[in-house]
Amino acid sequence: MRKSYKAIALFVAMAAAMTAFASCSSGGNSSTASTGGNTTSTTESTGGEESTGGSTGEVVNLSWYQIGGQPNDLDMVTEALNEYSAEKIGVTCEFTYLDWGVWGDRVKAIIQAGEPFDIMFNDSGVYTNAVDLGRFAKLDDILSEVPELEEFIPDLAWEGVTYKDGIYGVPTYKDNTQTQYWVWDKNIIEQYDIPYEEIHTLAEMDPYIRQIQDEINAGNITTSQYAFHMTRDGINGQFMNYDAQYAGLGVRYDDETATVVRMYEQPDMQEQFTYLHQWYQDGIINPDAATLTEGPSYVIVGSAQGFPGAEVGWGAGRGVDVVIEPWGGPIWSNGTIQGSINSIASSSEHQVEALKYLELVNMDEYMRNTLVYGIEGVHYTNNGDGTITQDEVKRNDYSPAGYAQATFMTMYPVAPNPATMYDPDLIEWNNSGEESVLLGFNFDRTSVQNQITACNVVTSTYNYELWTGTSDPAVIIPQMYAELEAAGMNDIQEELQRQINEYLGK
């Protein structure tokens, strides 16, 4: 079984430069283009020697559940991928995409019913529950079949998906640390001389967001009606500083005592909710925020999770140039590591082949870039400088959720991002990440699952109004915790603290 580093972390100071986000990307610096399904990749295939797919010599065909709408050109891309992977490792794969709106419910149904599959994208909302139900295969004993993949993915990422007695999925090696940015419209920043690099908290933002709203009300800014436009999910990453979040409880990532606290009552969260409520009352936040599930593509300022260089894509999405400033992170935590996992079914008859296929799509440049971008010369052009340019029309026919597939580190950056976007820039950024005190800890909820379910019902009635400033936090937070206590929150807190103490050897 892969070793855990938590015991070591208890006796040495937390390293500021973690290798966890380290990239082995050659895609960012490669100047050699792959040209088609039969082209040998510029990166050596890591599936071992040429495989015949098993002792029978037949090609093994796998099934892989993915998230998102099915791309129009899926068949074309799948054909190219299969031609290449069959030659390399004797394995092909068929992809089933579950649309965003149905993915969660459909995956849970597949897991509950024991429906057949070989590989499934999942996240923290699925992972531990599926392991508890025995639906995901334990990989520890077969990771030796993919030594380059095992070495390529950082130890901290493997630790983040270790649950109970083993590893039950391949973590997606990407922005596994969490960094949250304020993303500003550059024109607004320059026009009103806003010192965005000095703004990290809502308290620091307050005078400037009010200035912007005054300019909107005066008719001088017409790009948005509200200075701080929100959806019901609140500020992206608002609880990033807390781990083990259940029933309004959590542990601050840098609390060396690892004490479970009432998260919403903590000073930093109280300050946030108070400012949001003030802004809501003063017309700075849109009045429908608590019911809005999808916001406009353009906002004057908002929070986003990313890493240096992400501003290019964020600006393109908003249709304006943007400037960014980190307000939290980078932090290594289970939550961000478990945002993207690909697990193999315990019922799969081809677990080793599935693992070798995951190694190939992570480590082989041709496979990785075809899987995420499509066919070179059709969906994208290789610029010959380590970057690509996507076809403005054809990209719409093949645009899957790249974060759910495989590593970023063997992907070609999309121009005008630099060729160094992933290697070495992302490596260096993530090497600076802090490790949460609970990295590697996964709560076994079995004994308090009923209480958690009851408490989730309670929080669901308060969250959106609290997160958007719609209701007064001084009123609804005490109300919420009173109802949570009645629903069994104290049982959850006691059991969560007990397991944390046991995990940390207290």
Side-chain angles (χ1 to χ4, degrees), residues 178-347:
Q178 182 175 1
T179 306
Q180 292 293 147
Y181 291 84
W182 292 123
V183 184
W184 295 85
D185 180 336
K186 185 178 180 181
N187 293 326
I188 300 292
I189 290 293
E190 292 179 345
Q191 183 175 357
Y192 296 100
D193 196 26
I194 296 173
Y196 72 96
E197 293 174 316
E198 300 174 9
I199 298 173
H200 304 99
T201 66
L202 297 192
E204 292 167 343
M205 186 184 293
D206 183 68
Y208 304 103
I209 209 73
R210 291 183 178 280
Q211 176 188 1
I212 291 171
Q213 189 63 49
D214 288 343
E215 295 295 331
I216 291 173
N217 295 342
N220 299 323
I221 296 175
T222 59
T223 52
S224 179
Q225 190 176 354
Y226 301 98
F228 203 79
H229 200 286
M230 302 186 75
T231 65
R232 69 181 190 177
D233 292 328
I235 295 173
N236 183 275
Q238 60 188 328
F239 301 116
M240 71 167 294
N241 289 330
Y242 293 88
D243 261 357
Q245 298 175 29
Y246 298 92
L249 305 168
V251 176
R252 189 172 167 88
Y253 82 95
D254 55 357
D255 176 12
E256 304 224 350
T257 69
T259 301
V260 179
V261 297
R262 296 187 177 194
M263 193 166 55
Y264 292 177
E265 292 180 348
Q266 300 311 297
D268 56 340
M269 300 312 303
Q270 289 275 2
E271 178 181 279
Q272 173 182 298
F273 296 139
T274 298
Y275 271 105
L276 288 176
H277 184 54
Q278 292 172 354
W279 292 356
Y280 184 87
Q281 288 182 308
D282 294 341
I284 294 170
I285 294 173
N286 47 302
D288 61 347
T291 59
L292 194 64
T293 58
E294 185 174 349
S297 58
Y298 171 85
V299 292
I300 291 172
V301 60
S303 176
Q305 180 181 344
F307 46 88
E311 64 267 28
V312 175
W314 289 334
R318 294 191 188 189
V320 296
D321 289 336
V322 300
V323 293
I324 64 174
E325 174 65 17
W327 61 262
I331 298 171
W332 280 91
S333 70
N334 281 16
T336 188
I337 293 169
Q338 292 183 13
S340 178
I341 309 170
N342 280 289
S343 297
I344 297 170
S346 58
S347 60

Side-chain angles (χ1 to χ4, degrees), residues 429-455:
W429 181 256
N430 289 283
N431 281 349
S432 68
E434 294 184 74
E435 180 184 349
S436 168
V437 295
L438 290 187
L439 180 64
F441 169 78
N442 285 287
F443 184 35
D444 183 353
R445 297 166 288 182
T446 306
S447 64
V448 289
Q449 186 58 60
N450 291 338
Q451 293 93 321
I452 289 175
T453 300
C455 287

Side-chain angles (χ1 to χ4, degrees), residues 57-241:
E58 297 179 355
V59 172
V60 170
N61 188 49
L62 305 172
S63 61
W64 187 349
Y65 276 113
Q66 267 290 339
I67 190 172
Q70 179 172 309
N72 294 335
D73 287 349
L74 177 61
D75 289 346
M76 177 196 306
V77 175
T78 300
E79 182 179 358
L81 290 167
N82 285 345
E83 183 178 359
Y84 186 85
S85 64
E87 179 181 345
K88 280 287 183 179
I89 61 171
V91 179
T92 59
C93 190
E94 301 299 323
F95 302 88
T96 300
Y97 281 83
L98 304 177
D99 211 344
W100 302 100
V102 303
W103 178 82
D105 291 339
R106 184 73 182 96
V107 163
K108 290 176 183 177
I110 292 169
I111 294 296
Q112 291 286 342
E115 293 182 26
F117 65 91
D118 292 298
I119 305 172
M120 173 183 283
F121 162 76
N122 63 100
D123 60 16
S124 59
V126 174
Y127 183 63
T128 56
N129 182 58
V131 173
D132 288 339
L133 293 173
R135 301 293 186 247
F136 289 162
K138 185 178 179 181
L139 305 181
D140 301 68
D141 292 339
I142 60 174
L143 280 175
S144 59
E145 299 281 349
V146 288
E148 292 191 47
L149 179 65
E150 187 179 16
E151 179 66 24
F152 174 68
I153 294 175
D155 292 307
L156 288 177
W158 288 116
E159 188 173 351
V161 296
T162 299
Y163 179 54
K164 291 185 174 177
D165 60 343
I167 293 168
Y168 294 85
V170 175
T172 303
Y173 179 26
K174 53 183 187 66
D175 51 336
N176 296 121
T177 57
Q178 182 175 1
T179 306
Q180 292 293 147
Y181 291 84
W182 292 123
V183 184
W184 295 85
D185 180 336
K186 185 178 180 181
N187 293 326
I188 300 292
I189 290 293
E190 292 179 345
Q191 183 175 357
Y192 296 100
D193 196 26
I194 296 173
Y196 72 96
E197 293 174 316
E198 300 174 9
I199 298 173
H200 304 99
T201 66
L202 297 192
E204 292 167 343
M205 186 184 293
D206 183 68
Y208 304 103
I209 209 73
R210 291 183 178 280
Q211 176 188 1
I212 291 171
Q213 189 63 49
D214 288 343
E215 295 295 331
I216 291 173
N217 295 342
N220 299 323
I221 296 175
T222 59
T223 52
S224 179
Q225 190 176 354
Y226 301 98
F228 203 79
H229 200 286
M230 302 186 75
T231 65
R232 69 181 190 177
D233 292 328
I235 295 173
N236 183 275
Q238 60 188 328
F239 301 116
M240 71 167 294
N241 289 330

